[in-house]
Amino acid sequence: MRGTLFGGLSSPNVEVVTEPLGQPLDADLLRAALPAGPWEVVVVPETGSTNADVRAAAVEGRARPGHVCVAEHQTAGRGRLDRTWSAAPGEALTFSVLVHPEGVPAERWAWLPLLTGVAVTDAIHGLRLKWPNDVLDAAGGKLAGILVERVDTPGGPMAVIGIGLNVTGAPDIPGASSLARAGGDDLDRTTLLAVVLRALGARFEAWHAAGGDATACGLAADYRAVCATLGADVRAELPGGNVLVGRGEDVDPDGSLVIATENGPARVAAGDVTHVRAAGAREPG
Ligand SMILES: Nc1ncnc2c1ncn2[C@@H]1O[C@H](COP(=O)(O)OP(=O)(O)OP(=O)(O)O)[C@@H](O)[C@H]1O
Ligand SMILES: O=C(O)CCCC[C@@H]1SC[C@@H]2NC(=O)N[C@@H]21
């Protein structure tokens, strides 16, 4: 596997074909590129939201952990905090994975979105994370978003991990980027998806085996190493209009961001924050 952006997770099973832009996803090649395990991959030409589809399948007992739904196009893609997620047909990877963090205490599930962000940076070199889990290119453009939702299934509580990764292009949204804009020269979506799923599977297994202890499995340290928010001047907007301004100082063992403010350290959990921005920056919302 060549290219400036891919990480070291290439598989000897992956036949790498450099495809022209917009080549459809190859479901057979994708399945062959994944290691033996729980993967069950469904590729659909169009749907509303892969997160909604996987959630529905899980609730109805039709999907097992390891189920992956990939859409060439979403007509009602969902972002965090009830935002929308948009991408032109074929230009992005939009997919969702069902996972079962069986035995992991509920408070540790907050690491799942951060774990997913780290997996994307494992798979594709040169990317950073904006806390909690926006994936940024080297220039700070957002090229992937992550939406993790808990779902109650007949087999117990599980989580749907949704990833939208802009590959050959990005919507005309200020601050949005894509792998193509970031200078990536391997833009084959089938190969990319296989590499990201392998990285996600490896990160999930290690975290799960550690009972969800992000420190014990090395996830917390790896997260800090790729987190662009640490050391940066940030402005965190909270629901109700309160704002915290300070320097991103640390990420707690529970995944909260510690901001060094003039009044001392303040901790914010992902669910408590409407936006985290570079201080002074004007960004969309
Ligand atoms: N394909 C896309 N690529 C990038 N951003 C997108 C895309 N589709 C929709 N968006 C939306 O554009 C907005 C810009 O993202 P940005 O990271 O600046 O948001 P934000 O306000 O900082 O929120 P957050 O950090 O919670 O994602 C977000 O609302 C995001 O969900
Ligand atoms: O940054 C965000 O706001 C999160 C965006 C998550 C988008 C992905 S695309 C695949 C999956 N299906 C959805 O409807 N959303 C997620």
Side-chain angles (χ1 to χ4, degrees):
M1 198 175 300
R2 291 178 299 106
T4 52
L5 288 168
F6 285 109
L9 285 156
S10 58
S11 158
N13 298 325
V14 181
E15 183 196 343
V16 180
V17 182
T18 306
E19 295 176 339
L21 302 187
Q23 193 78 5
L25 286 158
D26 183 332
D28 292 334
L29 182 56
L30 180 58
R31 290 185 192 106
L34 292 172
W39 303 112
E40 178 191 65
V41 182
V42 177
V43 181
V44 297
E46 184 173 289
T47 189
S49 155
T50 57
N51 261 40
D53 291 353
V54 172
R55 167 183 281 279
V59 166
E60 293 162 18
R62 289 186 283 111
R64 293 191 310 255
H67 178 89
V68 182
C69 177
V70 195
E72 290 282 8
H73 185 222
Q74 291 185 132
T75 54
R78 305 197 317 221
R80 294 177 59 233
L81 306 169
D82 288 331
R83 296 176 192 141
T84 56
W85 185 261
S86 52
E91 81 173 9
L93 276 172
T94 49
F95 62 100
S96 302
V97 183
L98 183 67
V99 296
H100 191 186
E102 198 172 4
V104 174
E107 66 275 11
R108 291 182 173 171
W109 288 38
W111 272 97
L112 275 172
L114 287 74
L115 176 158
T116 305
V118 173
V120 175
T121 69
D122 288 339
I124 306 171
H125 274 175
L127 306 183
R128 311 283 313 275
L129 300 176
K130 183 179 87 168
W131 181 89
N133 58 3
D134 282 353
V135 183
L136 310 180
D137 64 21
K142 177 170 173 172
L143 48 70
I146 292 163
L147 176 65
V148 177
E149 300 177 289
R150 192 189 132 110
V151 57
D152 288 316
T153 82
M158 300 192 192
V160 180
I161 296 177
I163 304 179
L165 173 64
N166 303 326
V167 180
T168 59
D172 194 14
I173 295 172
S177 186
S178 65
L179 289 179
R181 280 186 214 173
D185 57 4
D186 275 329
L187 302 176
D188 173 66
R189 290 179 307 132
T190 302
T191 310
L192 264 172
L193 179 53
V195 177
V196 172
L197 286 175
R198 289 168 63 92
L200 181 61
R203 282 286 176 185
F204 179 81
E205 272 178 31
W207 173 79
H208 189 216
D213 184 332
T215 304
C217 68
L219 174 63
D222 291 345
Y223 181 86
R224 291 187 190 100
V226 291
C227 181
T229 309
L230 298 184
D233 291 328
V234 297
R235 177 186 156 85
E237 297 174 15
L238 313 182
N242 284 345
V243 171
L244 285 171
V245 178
R247 172 135 329 164
E249 194 171 61
D250 198 6
V251 173
D252 260 0
D254 69 357
S256 297
L257 177 66
V258 182
I259 302 176
T261 74
E262 59 181 19
N263 300 318
R267 282 172 174 71
V268 287
D272 299 337
V273 175
T274 324
H275 297 292
V276 175
R277 306 198 185 296
R282 244 186 108 252
E283 293 179 55

